[in-house]
Amino acid sequence: GAGVSQSPSNKVTEKGKDVELRCDPISGHTALYWYRQSLGQGLEFLIYFQGNSAPDKSGLPSDRFSAERTGGSVSTLTIQRTQQEDSAVYLCASSLDGTGFSPLHFGNGTRLTVT
Amino acid sequence: AQSVTQLGSHVSVSEGALVLLRCNYSSSVPPYLFWYVQYPNQGLQLLLKYTSAATLVKGINGFEAEFKKSETSFHLTKPSAHMSDAAEYFCAVIANTGNQFYFGTGTSLTVIP
């Protein structure tokens, strides 16, 4: 597709359940980023992929969060045993090569609500 | 390490008035700087970027920003606000040798008719 695609756009889940969020980056983009956006908190970096490897996982808030990327394309962010504080908009972005010269292209996000 | 500070989480301007959104950065190496805009229920869109060429950068929708190294600033301006400019604006920085983008906390722009 022409842009970064994220699914689902909205997800409501019960506390304690696991959720999977999907990101399809722009074709040919080697770098992929996950961010979390909470009201008034700006964008919180979660993880960065270059190809299928994740050289920077420093932003994952706990071991309940994990992410993978396969085929240098689709990425999945998994949150296990969800908690209410996980409620946020999860944004995925891709860039051509992960350098500052290539800006980020964002998807529309997945709004996660944990009840 | 790199970081950005956006002064003013909320800015209100009258339609037709000057828009000024402030961004100050911190970087131990030459930075690349970006402004993104987020309209309601949408992802972030690139407005403009500075990558060490001209210090005055022009972007989409009439916005521009000036890189001032002496002030470590990259403020976003538009001469005349339009109702459609109402959105959330984010400043971001990355080291020119890095791969980690650091975002500010955002400024919500309201345009008053």
Side-chain angles (χ1 to χ4, degrees), chain A:
Chain A
V4 177
S5 177
Q6 291 187 247
S7 61
S9 55
N10 282 283
K11 176 72 176 178
V12 180
T13 189
E14 293 180 351
K15 177 181 174 181
K17 301 284 189 182
D18 298 351
V19 295
E20 283 190 355
L21 312 180
R22 177 187 169 103
C23 173
D24 280 275
I26 293 173
S27 178
H29 280 196
T30 64
L32 186 148
Y33 298 76
W34 283 98
Y35 289 88
R36 179 166 69 176
Q37 185 178 23
S38 304
L39 192 62
Q41 298 297 315
L43 272 68
E44 177 188 5
F45 167 78
L46 297 179
I47 189 169
Y48 156 69
F49 287 93
Q50 183 63 254
N52 290 336
S53 64
D56 192 345
K57 303 180 182 180
S58 62
L60 294 177
S62 75
D63 59 7
R64 297 187 295 105
F65 288 71
S66 63
E68 65 175 12
R69 188 180 185 194
T70 56
S73 181
V74 172
S75 176
T76 302
L77 177 69
T78 301
I79 309 173
Q80 296 179 310
R81 305 181 302 281
T82 51
Q83 304 295 312
Q84 289 186 331
E85 61 262 29
D86 299 335
S87 296
V89 176
Y90 290 82
L91 293 170
C92 176
S94 69
S95 80
L96 186 62
D97 56 15
T99 70
F101 207 77
S102 303
L104 297 178
H105 298 262
F106 283 85
N108 287 347
T110 293
R111 182 176 297 278
L112 175 66
T113 304
V114 182
T115 61

Side-chain angles (χ1 to χ4, degrees), chain A residues 33 35 37 42-43 45 48 56 91 98 100-104 106-108, chain B residues 32 34 36 38 42-44 46 49 51 90 94 98-101 103 105:
Chain A
Y33 298 76
Y35 289 88
Q37 185 178 23
L43 272 68
F45 167 78
Y48 156 69
D56 192 345
L91 293 170
F101 207 77
S102 303
L104 297 178
F106 283 85
N108 287 347
Chain B
Y32 292 159
F34 305 81
Y36 284 84
Q38 185 178 32
Q42 294 186 26
L44 279 73
L46 180 67
K49 64 178 182 179
T51 54
F90 293 91
I94 184 173
N99 51 40
Q100 171 62 287
F101 291 80
F103 284 83
T105 53

Side-chain angles (χ1 to χ4, degrees), chain B residues 73-94:
Chain B
S73 69
F74 191 59
H75 302 330
L76 182 70
T77 60
K78 181 174 180 178
S80 177
H82 192 273
M83 296 299 293
S84 61
D85 294 328
E88 188 89 14
Y89 291 80
F90 293 91
C91 183
V93 65
I94 184 173

